[in-house]
Amino acid sequence: MYHKEKSIQIKNSASALYNNLGVLRIAPRSLTYFTVVHANVVNMVSASWDGLNYSHRQLQSKEPNVATSTSLIMQAAFCALPSRDLLVVTSQKGIQIYESDGSTMVYWHALDTPDTPTDQAVFARGISAVGKSYICVGDSSGSILVFDVPSKGSNITLSDVLKGHKKSITDIASECSGSQDCIADLISADDGGNLCVWKSGEEFQRFNNIPGFDISCTSVKLWKGTAVAGYGTGQIRLYEAVTGILHAEVNAHARWIYSLDIAPFSGLLLSAAEDSLVRVWHLSIKPESLSVEVAHLHNECVTDTQICGAKFCDGDGHAFAVTGYDLSEIIRYTQS
Amino acid sequence: MSSRTLPLLFINLGGEMLYILDQRLRAQNIPADKAKKVMNDIISTMFNKKFLDELFKPQELYSKKALRTVFDRLAHASIMRLNQASMDKLYDLMTMAFKYQVLLCPRPKDILLVSFNHMDAIKEFVKDIPCILTQVDETYQQLIQIYTNLSSGEFQLIRQTLLIFFQDMHIRVSIFLKDKVQNSNGRFVLPTSGPVPYGTQVPGLIRMFSCTGKEVSRLQFSNGGNYNAAIREGSFEIFGDRVTKLGTNMYSVSRPVETLMSGTSTNSAQHAKVNMAPNPLAKEELNLLARLMGGLEVQKPGNADNGFRVNLFATDEEEEEAFISRPDELSYGVIKIQATQDQQASAELAKIMGEFSESGDQSPIVSSKGDDLLAMMDGL
């Protein structure tokens, strides 16, 4: 049902990091931006939809006032707020927020790093926009930093620090269906597989805590009130977010899942793992019981590649893009 | 990223180095007593207490260049000498072997089993030398103490840190090509068949539940592979069956050490760029390196007649050829630590050089500023 298209070459290969592919569709300009992290560099490509123009940019993790060696980047992700799109880059030293085209850094937040390295690694990871003006970023201590972003300019402020996790944050996602009647609109996951469900607002409220099983939840999504979580066991679990009721459990992959994505309009789910496979699923809400159902639709094998990033390129799931460890390209698949 | 990565990187690369040297010492018919001395000297240097104390401190990984320097020293800890082409080849083989093991280990935690396979083999090498055996056993205890309680997420972070270290290295190794575990482009083969990792279910089942937790339906799907159920978990004790073969000795007399030395053609431009990237060695790293190597005691070859050279190639001509034809992008540009006339020499480095240098010259000691360390490093 999907076929492979011409891939996009990137300047450096992708590092093995969870959710290591960022995609932002700029419809008015018929462009799509892609980001892939390579060690201490973010590779950016802007690709025109006609496939004729590709322009590249590289963002270095050069932090102001940090004299020591450069730090490794953990994640780069686009945050689409109603008023503006931004690119957020997290590293061992802090959080950088850029204009979505990577042209200017508008904000920089330094993490508290010890003078000498300790047993516990320090980094930020897990990025999501939520509500009208918030960007949430997780860190290795389990805190979630909430930044309030004005509709213009660089006057970004740290407005809240959410405590709910005891392990390093792995991923954060907001409700992607656009539905306003969902009570909770944010979900966060950690290295112990625990999920926290939040309601954004001037004061963020924690709604629910879904305990894990001591294996990392590496990628999480929230769609029509359903929490979709991918784990190191290769399983995908679907919970009703506010109650924590388990609706479905899928033995989906043979190795660690690295990335999940949802096409909110069609309910298509994409899962990608170290086992070199990308799978497409279909989620539907059964009206009579309001429970969610999963059906398997499609497999793609990216031979000899441990996949680290996979994302749909549009809200319907007509196309998706994939990259993997040591791969210097973004492979695209389109529905036939 | 993970500050717990360096000990595992060092022990596993060291283990691979010992496998290769053991095989070459046999292949070159080095007298048994000399070969034995080389293995013992290197192992006892590797597991030197002062050195390991530095190694086990939480810290970031060194650059490739810095780590190569450490292994250069280690390989020359005894009466055996390797020239640059052979050392390059040795290091290529070690790194590609461990990259393969890190990439293929079924679960991130299995990196510890790979390390135990190396440690088990090292113990076997020195089984009749009680004092070295004690050193190795102490390291075992340290590994068990530090690593067995780490979570799956922390192991994944260690694995990801190692994979960044090995990123873009695609040197082709003939033993891997013959075994069909490496492709001609230098990428390793990832099987979509065989047993799934311990704790993982064979993909292919969807289970759905009612609000009361009752299973209401089961659906099968085609997983696109040919997987079997997981086999038992390997032992994380000091003795035991590790189950995985990753990290065991793959060389034997009938399977000699060989490499095809070439970067991948598609990536060679990129290689060069990566190597020339700024931050060759940050000042901070130089200090760390100096401290680490301070613990690496190197024996001075007593008698010139006793020393010998080992060749990682079939003949000297082949070795010479490899040296000349080695692509620039594969050059490690080893840091040469040489005595200089500079009176501002750092006390610490001078001391270290005293321990390293074959002539045993001591440089004058003055201050210990990082700038002086930089000044003393040749050939950056």
Side-chain angles (χ1 to χ4, degrees):
Chain A
M1 92 183 253
Y2 286 88
H3 67 268
K4 197 171 161 179
E5 284 213 36
K6 203 178 132 216
S7 5
I8 302 170
Q9 299 303 311
I10 45 178
K11 295 286 178 191
N12 298 115
S13 63
S15 292
L17 300 165
Y18 308 140
N19 305 301
N20 189 5
L21 178 64
V23 176
L24 181 71
R25 222 171 119 91
I26 314 279
R29 295 169 58 202
S30 304
L31 283 177
T32 302
Y33 293 156
F34 296 91
T35 56
V36 175
V37 175
H38 166 95
N40 60 348
V41 179
V42 180
N43 291 295
M44 267 194 94
V45 186
S46 132
S48 66
W49 291 353
D50 56 19
L52 297 176
N53 287 303
Y54 297 99
S55 67
H56 297 263
R57 189 192 285 274
Q58 287 182 306
L59 305 177
Q60 290 267 356
S61 68
K62 269 191 223 131
E63 286 89 6
N65 308 319
V66 181
T68 52
S69 54
T70 58
S71 70
L72 294 169
I73 296 172
M74 300 297 294
Q75 198 185 357
F78 291 105
C79 286
L81 288 164
S83 58
R84 65 198 292 192
D85 297 332
L86 293 166
L87 171 63
V88 180
V89 177
T90 64
S91 71
Q92 294 176 290
K93 298 273 163 64
I95 300 159
Q96 302 171 17
I97 304 182
Y98 293 84
E99 294 295 350
S100 63
D101 60 1
S103 58
T104 37
M105 199 202 289
V106 291
Y107 184 73
W108 152 254
H109 175 88
L111 293 175
D112 275 333
T113 46
D115 290 338
T116 50
T118 55
D119 295 1
Q120 184 66 47
V122 176
F123 55 81
R125 179 174 65 190
I127 302 164
S128 180
V130 66
K132 289 196 167 62
S133 64
Y134 299 108
I135 287 179
C136 298
V137 179
D139 73 17
S140 50
S141 73
S143 299
I144 298 171
L145 311 180
V146 180
F147 297 98
D148 195 351
V149 181
S151 55
K152 267 188 193 137
S154 58
N155 189 24
I156 296 172
T157 52
L158 177 65
S159 64
D160 207 348
V161 178
L162 310 179
K163 304 277 185 188
H165 291 275
K166 292 188 185 71
K167 301 276 182 67
S168 305
I169 302 291
T170 46
D171 195 22
I172 304 181
S174 58
E175 174 61 48
C176 62
S177 68
S179 161
Q180 296 298 316
D181 38 86
C182 291
I183 314 164
D185 59 0
L186 187 73
I187 189 158
S188 50
D190 72 25
D191 248 346
N194 307 292
L195 306 175
C196 286
V197 181
W198 312 83
K199 165 90 185 144
S200 73
E202 283 199 5
E203 292 235 335
F204 278 62
Q205 284 173 271
R206 179 148 54 110
F207 249 85
N208 194 19
N209 213 356
I210 304 173
F213 301 86
D214 269 345
I215 184 94
S216 303
C217 172
T218 57
S219 194
V220 71
K221 289 284 172 255
L222 189 56
W223 179 74
K224 294 189 177 174
T226 299
V228 185
Y231 298 86
T233 52
Q235 283 188 322
I236 300 172
R237 292 206 188 98
L238 282 78
Y239 295 95
E240 184 174 47
V242 289
T243 61
I245 292 171
L246 179 68
H247 281 315
E249 186 180 79
V250 184
N251 297 336
H253 289 274
R255 294 275 207 118
W256 280 54
I257 291 177
Y258 259 54
S259 194
L260 294 178
D261 196 29
I262 287 186
F265 305 143
S266 59
L268 292 181
L269 167 69
L270 191 67
S271 68
E274 285 181 345
D275 62 4
S276 76
L277 284 148
V278 191
R279 304 193 198 274
V280 183
W281 316 81
H282 183 245
L283 306 183
S284 53
I285 309 280
K286 236 171 33 184
E288 59 270 32
S289 62
L290 290 175
S291 66
V292 67
E293 293 203 328
V294 201
H296 175 257
L297 291 185
H298 185 73
N299 293 330
E300 281 292 344
C301 180
V302 186
T303 308
D304 300 333
T305 304
Q306 297 195 343
I307 298 163
C308 58
K311 275 234 159 40
F312 285 118
C313 300
D314 57 276
D316 292 306
H318 282 305
F320 64 86
V322 174
T323 191
Y325 171 65
D326 254 352
L327 208 62
S328 303
E329 58 181 327
I330 297 167
I331 306 168
R332 284 183 297 179
Y333 298 87
T334 308
Q335 263 180 30
S336 316
Chain B
M1 301 218 293
S2 173
S3 56
R4 286 299 193 196
T5 315
L6 185 64
L8 298 184
L9 180 63
F10 178 78
I11 285 168
N12 287 290
L13 287 179
E16 285 301 320
M17 181 169 99
L18 291 166
Y19 292 159
I20 298 163
L21 291 180
D22 176 60
Q23 202 271 332
R24 289 313 297 166
L25 289 165
R26 287 164 205 272
Q28 277 183 232
N29 297 317
I30 304 295
D33 58 327
K34 282 192 178 181
K36 193 84 196 140
K37 177 171 169 50
V38 169
M39 295 298 281
N40 292 345
D41 285 348
I42 293 178
I43 294 169
S44 113
T45 306
M46 243 184 105
F47 293 94
N48 173 297
K49 189 166 182 319
K50 196 171 143 214
F51 174 69
L52 286 173
D53 285 348
E54 286 297 332
L55 189 77
F56 274 100
K57 284 181 184 161
Q59 55 195 301
E60 294 291 319
L61 277 193
Y62 297 124
S63 64
K64 290 190 180 71
K65 203 187 264 187
L67 201 75
R68 164 68 202 265
T69 306
V70 172
F71 278 101
D72 247 17
R73 287 292 159 185
L74 186 59
H76 290 102
S78 187
I79 50 174
M80 177 193 71
R81 291 292 168 262
L82 293 162
N83 70 18
Q84 190 173 338
S86 282
M87 189 64 216
D88 284 344
K89 180 164 166 178
L90 173 66
Y91 196 68
D92 288 343
L93 288 167
M94 290 155 51
T95 48
M96 287 310 282
F98 188 44
K99 177 175 184 176
Y100 174 71
Q101 293 153 10
V102 173
L103 200 70
L104 268 284
C105 71
R107 301 171 305 169
K109 195 183 179 181
D110 294 329
I111 289 174
L112 199 51
L113 294 177
V114 172
S115 310
F116 287 164
N117 270 335
H118 281 122
M119 292 287 290
D120 291 346
I122 292 168
K123 269 180 80 167
E124 188 60 27
F125 283 135
V126 293
K127 61 171 188 267
D128 43 5
I129 320 273
C131 61
I132 308 180
L133 203 56
T134 313
Q135 284 177 272
V136 180
D137 274 335
E138 275 169 22
T139 310
Y140 247 115
Q141 297 299 353
Q142 248 172 316
L143 284 173
I144 289 172
Q145 201 187 331
I146 294 171
Y147 290 99
T148 46
N149 293 322
L150 294 189
S151 69
S152 64
E154 286 169 296
F155 269 111
Q156 184 64 283
L157 195 67
I158 289 174
R159 184 171 171 275
Q160 290 171 342
T161 311
L162 289 168
L163 288 175
I164 288 175
F165 184 84
F166 292 125
Q167 201 162 343
D168 298 323
M169 295 179 83
H170 299 289
I171 297 155
R172 293 179 296 158
V173 175
S174 61
I175 201 166
F176 288 139
L177 294 167
K178 273 184 205 151
D179 286 351
K180 300 212 164 27
V181 299
Q182 192 179 26
N183 294 315
S184 57
N185 62 4
R187 293 184 71 87
F188 290 114
V189 174
L190 299 180
T192 52
S193 59
V196 295
Y198 184 80
T200 293
Q201 305 297 318
V202 172
L205 181 66
I206 302 171
R207 295 160 71 203
M208 281 177 276
F209 305 93
S210 73
C211 291
T212 57
K214 213 178 114 222
E215 188 179 305
V216 290
S217 69
R218 273 178 179 239
L219 294 172
Q220 304 277 342
F221 68 91
S222 146
N223 64 24
N226 185 21
Y227 301 101
N228 320 117
I231 43 177
R232 67 194 186 284
E233 189 179 32
S235 164
F236 288 90
E237 306 289 320
I238 189 158
F239 299 103
D241 179 4
R242 313 300 177 197
V243 179
T244 180
K245 289 282 164 262
L246 295 170
T248 57
N249 196 343
M250 60 180 175
Y251 306 102
S252 65
V253 180
S254 58
R255 285 160 60 85
V257 174
E258 288 174 54
T259 43
L260 294 170
M261 207 60 65
S262 56
T264 57
S265 50
T266 50
N267 267 353
S268 54
Q270 198 177 314
H271 265 291
K273 208 165 65 196
V274 170
N275 275 4
M276 286 186 297
N279 181 30
L281 268 186
K283 192 195 293 179
E284 184 189 36
E285 184 177 37
L286 280 182
N287 284 316
L288 286 169
L289 183 65
R291 225 182 46 214
L292 181 67
M293 306 239 303
L296 198 60
E297 281 166 18
V298 175
Q299 264 204 0
K300 293 160 193 116
N303 185 339
D305 302 337
N306 233 346
F308 62 90
R309 200 169 63 83
V310 157
N311 190 342
L312 268 279
F313 298 83
T315 63
D316 284 355
E317 290 70 34
E318 231 180 84
E319 184 179 47
E320 175 77 2
E321 173 63 23
F323 178 68
I324 295 163
S325 64
R326 189 177 174 84
D328 277 350
E329 75 262 19
L330 289 178
S331 158
Y332 291 103
V334 182
I335 309 149
K336 291 195 183 64
I337 304 176
Q338 289 181 355
T340 65
Q341 303 304 313
D342 191 353
Q343 295 295 307
Q344 300 292 308
S346 120
E348 195 174 11
L349 194 64
K351 189 174 130 275
I352 294 158
M353 289 195 309
E355 286 172 36
F356 281 156
S357 66
E358 285 161 32
S359 57
D361 286 341
Q362 286 281 340
S363 293
I365 291 165
V366 188
S367 75
S368 63
K369 276 188 188 161
D371 292 322
D372 301 324
L373 267 178
L374 278 169
M376 294 194 62
M377 293 290 183
D378 295 329
L380 278 188

